[in-house]
Amino acid sequence: MPVPNGDATNAAERTHAAPVPFMRRAGRALIAATAATALAAGLAPSVANAQETGAISPESVANDAVLGVVTPESLSQLLYFGNFPGSSGSSMMGIANSLGFSPNMFAGEPPPSPQPNPKITETKIVGDPVVEGRYERYLIDSADMKRGITVEVHRAANPGAPFLYLLDGVGSELPSGFTQWGAGEQFANENVNVVIPTGGQGSMWADWNEQDPVLGISKWESFISRDLPAVLEPRISTNRNRAIGGISMGAGAAMTMATRHPDLYKGVFGVSGCYSTDALGQILTRYTVESRGATLTNMWGEPGNDQWVAHDAMINAEKLRGKAIYMSSGTGVAEPGDWDAYNNDVANFVAGMALEQATGQCTHAADRRFKELGIQADIDHLPTGMHNWSYYSRQIPVAWDSIKHSVGL
């Protein structure tokens, strides 16, 4: 069943439960700090931009500010239109970072660490898959990660169909967010085999330098780009055309993998992702990794070194030339009913707002980069939308329609 929209980050995006009163206090503190920054910066630019778009009346924002009352809906629009100084490209995330907010505050108890099994020395499919119609679930031993990885497949009706690899967000649950939010129905009439690895929570779907006390051994890039095609594809199809896409954490990882393995993927999409390891990208990466209690430097060392540069899809964007590319993001501006859909949960509402505002900035930066290089890309900048599965699920069919020609469909 789909996870209710009340979780800001929903199935693949929610943090582990922390005491609710503390999360609400922290969320309110972040709202208060952001609102104070907004007032200090001056409301005139926000009101002018809002009036021009018609998204919110200047009178309502000004009156709320004067009265010291900021509604969730008006705050979401105020933050978007404000573009406040010192925001690192995203008002909410920049302010949170400057105030020292850490996802460790919200992470609660970390998940059990995957324990390496030294007996796993070969990457192979273990046993028979679970089959429910065209949905299949495989257990694959990873020699690199010394554990079994569950991989979901939504099989095409045609045995000669190409492949679409989908990378989930920070939670990477089982069933995946894609499956919970209708991938079986969305791709039922599409001639493509959808492959979804699970269990990569907080990993950026990357190869890590060091074993992490919480996440264990992470060699996800090698597993997805090398092992899965080798052991899984021959069981499913003779077609070797592939595309890759993802949401949130998985969006950035998909774009990065397409730059690092340009011969492997003909098309790539990202929904609500960040595609650079610049200042804002580092903040979002830290929040992703630390939200699961992991240690950031166990991934690629200190931010800014050569490994971080090598995983920056925008620095390496030239390798995407000639591929079908799609990106989209919202703005963090709430749609009618979003506050109620989040069950009036301040902390989760703020998180959904802040994260989507930040990925919106990342997507605009990617748009500029592609135009600078003269690389064709289909990019949607949506006027509203929070960082959650109700938004992602609407964009996945749009993303697929944009890139599916690359694999011959």
Side-chain angles (χ1 to χ4, degrees):
M1 293 293 292
V3 175
N5 192 43
D7 280 341
T9 42
N10 280 310
E13 303 306 300
R14 64 185 181 221
T15 57
H16 289 280
V20 172
F22 172 75
M23 290 185 72
R24 286 177 179 165
R25 288 198 300 272
R28 290 191 185 101
L30 185 51
I31 285 179
T34 307
T37 304
L39 293 173
L43 285 172
S46 305
V47 172
N49 289 336
Q51 186 176 23
E52 181 179 339
T53 63
I56 187 173
S57 72
E59 293 82 4
S60 65
V61 176
N63 288 338
D64 282 348
V66 170
L67 295 173
V69 176
V70 181
T71 67
E73 290 80 9
S74 64
L75 175 63
S76 71
Q77 302 193 43
L78 176 63
L79 292 171
Y80 172 65
F81 290 118
N83 192 25
F84 306 125
S87 66
S88 299
S90 168
S91 302
M92 287 292 284
M93 296 304 295
I95 291 169
N97 191 62
S98 65
L99 291 175
F101 275 77
S102 167
N104 282 331
M105 298 176 178
F106 306 97
E109 290 299 318
S113 176
Q115 296 302 307
N117 181 353
K119 295 182 180 180
I120 297 178
T121 59
E122 178 186 0
T123 298
K124 62 181 180 179
I125 295 174
V126 179
D128 295 324
V130 174
V131 178
E132 299 172 3
R134 283 162 52 190
Y135 172 80
E136 301 176 356
R137 193 165 64 244
Y138 292 81
L139 178 63
I140 301 178
D141 276 350
S142 166
D144 287 339
M145 291 190 274
K146 302 295 181 187
R147 56 176 150 139
I149 306 298
T150 300
V151 177
E152 297 180 315
V153 175
H154 294 274
R155 190 189 281 259
N158 178 359
F163 290 88
L164 171 64
Y165 288 77
L166 292 180
L167 304 184
D168 214 334
V170 66
S172 184
E173 298 178 332
L174 180 66
S176 66
F178 297 103
T179 295
Q180 291 185 59
W181 282 83
E185 294 76 19
Q186 288 175 332
F187 290 94
N189 297 318
E190 300 293 322
N191 189 33
V192 65
N193 296 296
V194 179
V195 179
I196 310 169
T198 70
Q201 69 254 9
S203 68
M204 302 298 293
W205 298 110
D207 285 0
W208 286 42
N209 292 344
E210 306 292 339
Q211 180 175 337
D212 188 81
V214 174
L215 299 187
I217 301 172
S218 292
K219 298 294 180 183
W220 288 103
E221 180 182 343
S222 294
F223 181 76
I224 292 163
S225 66
R226 182 193 65 204
D227 296 343
L228 271 182
V231 302
L232 185 64
E233 289 185 2
R235 297 274 296 262
I236 296 174
S237 175
T238 57
N239 194 319
R240 292 298 174 264
N241 288 331
R242 306 177 193 89
I244 189 168
I247 57 92
S248 191
M249 178 184 82
M255 207 66 59
T256 296
M257 284 195 199
T259 65
R260 292 171 60 80
H261 306 278
D263 295 335
L264 200 61
Y265 307 108
K266 297 180 179 295
V268 57
F269 75 75
V271 173
S272 296
C274 202
Y275 309 99
S276 177
T277 59
D278 60 6
L280 179 56
Q282 290 174 20
I283 291 172
L284 291 174
T285 301
R286 180 175 74 84
Y287 270 59
T288 297
V289 170
E290 292 183 1
S291 75
R292 288 304 179 266
T295 302
L296 180 63
T297 53
N298 286 336
M299 187 168 63
W300 305 317
E302 291 293 336
N305 67 24
D306 288 347
Q307 273 190 286
W308 284 75
V309 172
H311 289 83
D312 188 314
M314 293 300 97
I315 289 176
N316 300 291
E318 185 61 44
K319 294 182 180 179
L320 297 173
R321 188 180 298 278
K323 299 185 187 302
I325 303 167
Y326 176 86
M327 291 178 178
S328 76
S329 65
T331 57
V333 173
E335 296 178 351
D338 274 342
W339 175 241
D340 289 338
Y342 276 79
N343 299 320
N344 300 340
D345 187 314
V346 174
N348 276 332
F349 185 86
V350 170
M353 182 170 53
L355 288 168
E356 194 63 19
Q357 185 195 60
T359 61
Q361 295 290 338
C362 292
T363 304
H364 277 285
D367 197 351
R368 292 191 295 271
R369 175 63 169 161
F370 287 136
K371 287 175 179 174
E372 173 187 295
L373 295 175
I375 293 175
Q376 178 64 38
D378 187 4
I379 301 180
D380 285 334
H381 303 289
L382 303 181
T384 60
M386 309 276 275
H387 201 73
N388 59 44
W389 268 100
S390 64
Y391 161 70
Y392 312 147
S393 63
R394 295 198 303 266
Q395 291 306 116
I396 289 167
V398 178
W400 172 239
D401 283 344
S402 176
I403 71 166
K404 66 184 181 182
H405 68 275
S406 67
V407 292
L409 300 179

